Amino acid sequence: MQKKLLSGLFWVLLANLLVKPFWILGVEVGVQNAVGNETYGFYFSIFNLSYILNILLDLGITNFNTRNIAQHPQLITKHLSGILGIKVCLLALYLVVTFTVGALMGYGSKEFRLLAWLTLCQFLNSLILYLRSNFEGLMLFKWDSLFSVLDRVLMILICSCLLWSPLREGFNIYWFVYAQAIAYGLTALLAFAVIARKAKFSPLAPQGRRPQFTFHLSPAFFLVILKKSAPFALLVLLMASYNRIDPILLRRLASDADAGIYAGAFRLLDALTMVAYLVSVPLLPVFSKLCKEKESVTDVILIVFWPMMLFAVGVSVVCVLWAEPLMNLLYHERGVLYVPVFRVVIFGIIPIGLTYIFGTLLTAGGYLRQLNIFAATTLVLNVVVNLLLIPRFGATGSAWASLTAQTFMALAQFVLAIHLFRLPLSTFRIPGVNDFKHFVSLLKSSHED
């Protein structure tokens, strides 16, 4: 399991670190600079609404599927056709709820037009994540790595042509959204083609040789899957809410410009958080298999804990010290606007790193009820602190609210994981020379495999 984990980490991190920093710090920054803070804040607040509600497109199925396929790989053929049928049904639910919420929030034609395109993008992205969960469950990390970045590669190609060419003069926020829709659509088609082959489906194969792929809309199967995935769905909804509600509250309690400043300061944290998230991708199937076989998870945690903490603490300190040059590099003469918010929000990478380790462990162990209680409490805490601080401090107050909520969630999960999995305190000791040698030998053997 340690070898599989390191192999998965190698491929996932390699692919994403080559692509996603340029997407976030190049293309997204280029878009915000091209359209301005107010327009980007308008986009970002509506995007976050579509993002929070996209749990209705999944209802926890993706995380459930990763854990389930890792423990029962023989079920992939049966589940693929059935779950894809469920995803189509969930799209209708998502559209109804999202547009209803938009209407209740007073959206006009301008907001609804953008929301319509963003809901399409969210559906396609959700489809990609589900298809990738099958690669993760089967521990096909090289395929998962490819499809984790393919959509961004296509977006970079499209947006580069739009941003850094004569077309830049007419660039608007809708071009950015159209590029996302095209890239997500192509990636979803290719991911489906590969996983269908792995699951022994082939729409082109002659009858009688391989099972033909069809959407399976059995109500009984639908209810069984939704019942099993419901705790995952609630957890994802609550975590998405406390992670993404800040700009929505800022737009309501302050202005589009404040939401845009928060988005600009948040962007580098979003890029760096990618590393922590990518570590959790192979962790979930590895932890799930260890929990099923009732084996110790201590050695796996030892591999990821200190590298994650050294990365998170080191990066946050460097970013605080170099906040002004970094913001000026990204946003030119407007960089000074983002510095106070950035110096607060960047420390969120430390609790986020802990959450991706211990939250993943508790998810694999099936402790969803406890996680949902923590997440609900965190959401309430975030909203209350935002309501208290935004009227007085604007985007900086929202940054403090986010950091407070993230820290509470991380500490709660850390303490619970130590208690439930009886993790010895030596797991969190500072690694020595022998630990480093062991890590290097595992890395070499996993690379050779």
Side-chain angles (χ1 to χ4, degrees):
M1 284 296 103
Q2 293 178 57
K3 289 182 180 181
K4 284 185 178 293
L5 173 62
L6 288 173
S7 177
L9 286 174
F10 174 80
W11 289 110
V12 171
L13 286 171
L14 177 64
N16 283 269
L17 291 177
L18 288 174
V19 174
K20 289 191 176 178
F22 182 76
W23 163 255
I24 295 173
L25 303 178
V27 174
E28 286 193 336
V29 169
V31 170
Q32 183 162 357
N33 286 332
V35 302
N37 273 345
E38 187 169 344
T39 298
Y40 197 86
F42 166 74
Y43 158 80
F44 194 61
S45 64
I46 295 176
F47 167 81
N48 280 337
L49 173 64
S50 69
Y51 181 88
I52 289 172
L53 294 175
N54 80 357
I55 185 57
L56 298 173
L57 291 167
D58 186 73
L59 295 182
I61 290 171
T62 295
N63 285 336
F64 161 75
N65 191 65
T66 300
R67 181 172 179 261
N68 193 48
I69 297 300
Q71 296 179 342
H72 311 286
Q74 71 278 6
L75 293 177
I76 186 171
T77 302
K78 174 186 176 182
H79 282 197
L80 182 62
S81 60
I83 290 178
L84 285 176
I86 293 174
K87 299 287 281 187
V88 173
C89 295
L90 293 178
L91 173 59
L93 174 64
Y94 174 66
L95 290 173
V96 170
V97 173
T98 303
F99 279 83
T100 300
V101 172
L104 292 174
M105 294 178 68
Y107 281 5
S109 58
K110 182 181 177 182
E111 287 89 352
F112 277 123
R113 179 189 171 193
L114 183 58
L115 184 62
W117 280 100
L118 288 173
T119 54
L120 173 62
C121 291
Q122 291 295 345
F123 170 69
L124 294 172
N125 187 43
S126 173
L127 189 58
I128 294 167
L129 291 174
Y130 163 67
L131 293 169
R132 283 181 53 204
S133 74
N134 291 284
F135 294 121
E136 294 161 12
L138 296 173
M139 299 194 184
L140 299 173
F141 294 123
K142 291 182 182 179
W143 281 110
D144 180 55
S145 302
L146 171 64
F147 288 108
S148 70
V149 297
L150 182 58
D151 54 346
R152 292 297 190 269
V153 170
L154 294 172
M155 290 180 207
I156 288 171
L157 293 174
I158 298 170
C159 290
S160 295
C161 294
L162 298 174
L163 283 171
W164 296 294
S165 73
L167 294 172
R168 177 184 172 86
E169 294 302 320
F171 188 89
N172 64 72
I173 199 66
Y174 290 99
W175 290 12
F176 182 50
V177 179
Y178 300 155
Q180 293 179 55
I182 293 169
Y184 283 139
L186 291 174
T187 302
L189 286 173
L190 291 171
F192 170 73
V194 174
I195 199 62
R197 183 177 178 84
K198 296 293 181 182
K200 306 302 182 187
F201 285 120
S202 177
L204 302 179
Q207 290 287 345
R209 294 190 184 178
R210 285 183 178 178
Q212 299 294 299
F213 177 82
T214 56
F215 285 113
H216 184 61
L217 295 174
S218 166
F221 180 80
F222 197 152
L223 292 175
V224 168
I225 293 296
L226 292 185
K227 182 178 179 180
K228 290 181 178 180
S229 65
F232 294 90
L234 181 59
L235 179 61
V236 172
L237 174 62
L238 292 171
M239 293 184 72
S241 297
Y242 74 68
N243 277 314
R244 297 286 178 170
I245 201 170
D246 305 276
I248 296 174
L249 293 174
L250 272 169
R251 188 168 183 243
R252 287 290 167 185
L253 300 175
S255 65
D256 282 346
D258 279 287
I261 290 171
Y262 184 90
F266 181 82
R267 179 168 290 111
L268 192 54
L269 173 65
D270 200 25
L272 293 168
T273 299
M274 174 187 70
V275 176
Y277 164 72
L278 293 174
V279 169
S280 73
V281 171
L283 270 182
L284 182 55
V286 168
F287 278 149
S288 297
K289 200 165 186 65
L290 290 174
C291 289
K292 181 194 175 187
E293 296 171 357
K294 302 188 185 314
E295 295 184 16
S296 172
V297 299
T298 303
D299 289 339
V300 172
I301 290 178
L302 189 59
I303 288 175
V304 296
F305 178 77
W306 275 110
M308 178 74 80
M309 287 299 96
L310 289 172
F311 166 78
V313 174
V315 161
S316 57
V317 170
V318 169
C319 286
V320 168
L321 294 176
W322 291 81
E324 192 166 338
L326 283 170
M327 292 298 99
N328 286 333
L329 178 65
L330 293 176
Y331 304 110
H332 311 305
E333 68 278 1
R334 295 178 297 167
V336 68
L337 296 173
Y338 304 89
V339 172
V341 182
F342 177 69
R343 281 184 169 147
V344 176
V345 80
I346 192 62
F347 278 107
I349 193 172
I350 299 173
I352 289 171
L354 286 171
T355 293
Y356 274 123
I357 294 174
F358 296 101
T360 301
L361 174 58
L362 292 167
T363 299
Y367 297 103
L368 277 301
R369 183 175 67 85
Q370 293 90 331
L371 284 173
N372 279 315
I373 292 172
F374 291 159
T377 306
T378 303
L379 174 58
V380 172
L381 176 64
N382 193 16
V383 171
V384 169
V385 179
N386 264 304
L387 292 175
L388 292 173
L389 297 184
I390 287 177
R392 184 173 180 184
F393 300 105
T396 305
S398 194
W400 278 110
S402 176
L403 180 59
T404 302
Q406 294 284 3
T407 302
F408 169 80
M409 185 65 169
L411 290 177
Q413 292 176 84
F414 178 70
V415 172
L416 183 63
I418 290 176
H419 172 69
L420 292 176
F421 290 90
R422 302 172 190 257
L423 299 174
L425 293 179
S426 59
T427 305
F428 310 105
R429 73 183 190 280
I430 298 176
V433 175
N434 290 334
D435 295 312
F436 179 74
K437 289 180 178 178
H438 178 60
F439 179 83
V440 171
S441 65
L442 284 172
L443 189 61
K444 287 181 178 179
S445 60
S446 66
H447 181 67
E448 290 170 0
D449 291 344

